[in-house]
Amino acid sequence: CPGVTVTSGAGGPGSEQKIEIRGQSSINLDTTPLFVIDGMVTSTLANIAPCDVKSINFLKDSSASIYGSRGANGVILIETLRGR
């Protein structure tokens, strides 16, 4: 998706990646997007297996405004496979 930057985490293999949707806009503030997994808001992707992901959608700018100030850095909507 254009405008989405994924960088590797500070640790080795298996460490969590850093995702930025709107770019680095602040020196001191967090730029982590809001994660919504199956309609539930979460702050990390660490508790989801990649093989369980059905679809991923990125919301930025005005489409993320439905989440208010929490969606200011963008929103990542993840739908998982529920029938397993």
Side-chain angles (χ1 to χ4, degrees):
C1 182
V4 176
T5 305
V6 180
T7 55
S8 62
S15 64
E16 193 169 354
Q17 291 80 24
K18 182 177 180 183
I19 302 172
E20 291 181 347
I21 294 179
R22 299 182 53 120
Q24 187 69 31
S25 59
S26 176
I27 296 173
N28 297 326
L29 296 177
D30 188 26
T31 58
T32 304
L34 179 68
F35 298 103
V36 180
I37 302 174
D38 290 333
M40 297 182 63
V41 176
T42 183
S43 60
T44 183
L45 293 176
N47 53 358
I48 186 169
C51 60
D52 290 337
V53 174
K54 181 178 180 182
S55 68
I56 299 175
N57 292 312
F58 298 93
L59 302 178
K60 54 184 178 179
D61 301 327
S62 62
S63 59
S65 65
I66 61 172
Y67 291 96
S69 62
R70 297 183 301 168
N73 292 324
V75 179
I76 299 178
L77 298 173
I78 299 174
E79 184 180 354
T80 61
L81 300 169
R82 300 179 194 180
R84 287 193 161 186

